[in-house]
Amino acid sequence: MGDRIEKVSIIISKGSLDGIYPGLIMANGARAEGMEANLFFTFFGLDAIHAKRHEHIKLATVGNPGLHLATWAGGIPGVSSVMTHYMESKMAKMDFPSIPEFIEMISDTGAGMYACLASVELFGLTKDDFVPQVDDIITVGDFYEMAGGGQIIFT
Amino acid sequence: MGDRIEKVSIIISKGSLDGIYPGLIMANGARAEGMEANLFFTFFGLDAIHAKRHEHIKLATVGNPGLHLATWAGGIPGVSSVMTHYMESKMAKMDFPSIPEFIEMISDTGAGMYACLASVELFGLTKDDFVPQVDDIITVGDFYEMAGGGQIIFT
Amino acid sequence: MGDRIEKVSIIISKGSLDGIYPGLIMANGARAEGMEANLFFTFFGLDAIHAKRHEHIKLATVGNPGLHLATWAGGIPGVSSVMTHYMESKMAKMDFPSIPEFIEMISDTGAGMYACLASVELFGLTKDDFVPQVDDIITVGDFYEMAGGGQIIFT
């Protein structure tokens, strides 16, 4: 039918643990199926590829009713870190990679990794701020060109 | 033109009222137009199909400037519940279905409902934790296979 | 290859500064590349086109770990406004348009702007509440019809 997905272009726009993992899981799954996969990091999603920050990404504990924490508890200093550790230890038990490990793994499968130029400028960053897996800093126009013939997934 | 959308694969990844409804509305609208529609629940989105939790889903009142509540008010114990009741009563007045009702309605139209295996394992759940409308627990690879020939919508 | 993207249908569903800009940037970039672009505003995303509210949109400072603010600081009255001003002043320095300016600019490029009927009714709004750039209030079915032959991007 020609209906098989050949390529996915996944945009990661959020900077929380629960905002970053879904995009990484979808990119990794796409590569495992032999599909072309490219990751585009924009806005707070840039944290996932920031060399100094990407080991310190936290779960969003307030404004996240899915956690079943009372909202006021989510706002107590330290609660975000506690929940993040809990989630991370659960993930480690399941041999789930950390974000830095996952980025490296996905890059090793041949997926492309790109930072959004407008966001990079907005936050005053340069290519040196990013992990070496980042292939390039690109414009929205470049993104659309790369994404042609595939599915765009904004996360 | 061959341009009509034939199928939508809608991913629900958030666990708040305002994170879940848009995906359900889009799935329902797709079925009403005679399109194939499948819903995929991942991460906190699993709450929408969790038999014990899906009647208790709340609005995200903090980290949600769209509500026009001062942030500190959103953090007061109980405010999230008050806002959720307000929204729900408004929805009820408009004959808007609750989440459990909506899930059932959409499933009855013939839409598929799937839980994401990696998330199910991460949260230590089993098929018994979900409402009976859930057809299966599937991998990312299965998802891409089902989504071929349609549009992927990540919410 | 016929692989060029011809059209994007971008849904804006969130009401925060960081929830609205990515969709506007992608719409603007699409028009700059000569692609057809339509914007659909739903749920809290309606704030972006609300005549009285769209100058007062704030950054989500709680539930947004990407900001590297301690969560409790994000909940202090006024912090959201301070961060929003910081971000806005950075954007202004870069000649980044404000949301009202950006909406006008994008509309001037020929992009369509639509509000989601279900959300408009839920919030008790009418066409008069919106900025004049809004072309129409439409149903989900209308949306799918317009989106055919292009990419749907839900932000």
Side-chain angles (χ1 to χ4, degrees), chain A residues 5 8-11 14 22 26 150-155, chain B residues 5-14 19-31 35-42 143-144 146-155, chain C residues 9-14 40 42 140-141 143-145 147-148 150-155:
Chain A
I5 298 170
V8 287
S9 296
I10 298 171
I11 299 168
K14 295 179 193 70
M26 293 193 78
Q151 291 261 357
I152 295 175
I153 303 172
F154 185 97
T155 69
Chain B
I5 298 170
E6 305 284 351
K7 172 161 62 169
V8 288
S9 297
I10 299 172
I11 300 168
I12 294 186
S13 69
K14 295 179 193 71
I20 293 169
Y21 268 108
L24 298 184
I25 291 169
M26 293 192 77
N28 191 55
R31 289 301 301 136
M35 296 155 51
E36 185 180 338
N38 291 300
L39 279 162
F40 301 87
F41 299 88
T42 189
F143 165 75
Y144 281 127
M146 281 193 193
Q151 291 261 358
I152 295 174
I153 303 172
F154 184 97
T155 70
Chain C
S9 296
I10 299 172
I11 300 167
I12 295 186
S13 68
K14 295 180 191 68
F40 301 88
T42 188
V140 180
F143 164 75
Y144 281 126
E145 213 164 293
Q151 292 260 359
I152 296 174
I153 303 173
F154 185 98
T155 70

Side-chain angles (χ1 to χ4, degrees), chain A residues 11-99:
Chain A
I11 299 168
I12 294 186
S13 69
K14 295 179 193 70
S16 60
L17 210 61
D18 46 317
I20 294 168
Y21 268 108
L24 298 184
I25 290 169
M26 293 193 78
N28 191 55
R31 288 299 302 135
E33 299 295 305
M35 295 154 52
E36 186 180 338
N38 291 300
L39 279 162
F40 301 87
F41 299 88
T42 189
F43 264 71
F44 300 121
L46 286 176
D47 276 5
I49 51 170
H50 190 111
K52 286 184 187 145
R53 287 185 192 162
H54 78 335
E55 289 181 19
H56 306 289
I57 288 166
K58 292 183 186 174
L59 208 60
T61 52
V62 277
N64 200 339
L67 276 180
H68 307 290
L69 264 180
T71 294
W72 56 268
I76 293 173
V79 171
S80 179
S81 296
V82 170
M83 289 304 296
T84 301
H85 279 297
Y86 168 77
M87 192 85 148
E88 282 176 345
S89 76
K90 260 193 135 169
M91 284 176 159
K93 256 184 235 158
M94 292 171 58
D95 286 322
F96 229 87
S98 69
I99 288 179

Side-chain angles (χ1 to χ4, degrees), chain A residues 72-142:
Chain A
W72 56 268
I76 293 173
V79 171
S80 179
S81 296
V82 170
M83 289 304 296
T84 301
H85 279 297
Y86 168 77
M87 192 85 148
E88 282 176 345
S89 76
K90 260 193 135 169
M91 284 176 159
K93 256 184 235 158
M94 292 171 58
D95 286 322
F96 229 87
S98 69
I99 288 179
E101 287 166 351
F102 212 2
I103 293 278
E104 209 180 318
M105 269 176 58
I106 295 169
S107 173
D108 286 348
T109 67
M113 305 238 170
Y114 302 91
C116 160
L117 179 63
S119 304
V120 167
E121 289 181 345
L122 179 64
F123 295 119
L125 302 171
T126 69
K127 200 165 182 314
D128 294 337
D129 292 310
F130 298 122
V131 294
Q133 285 79 23
V134 174
D135 295 294
D136 210 352
I137 298 173
I138 65 169
T139 66
V140 179
D142 296 332

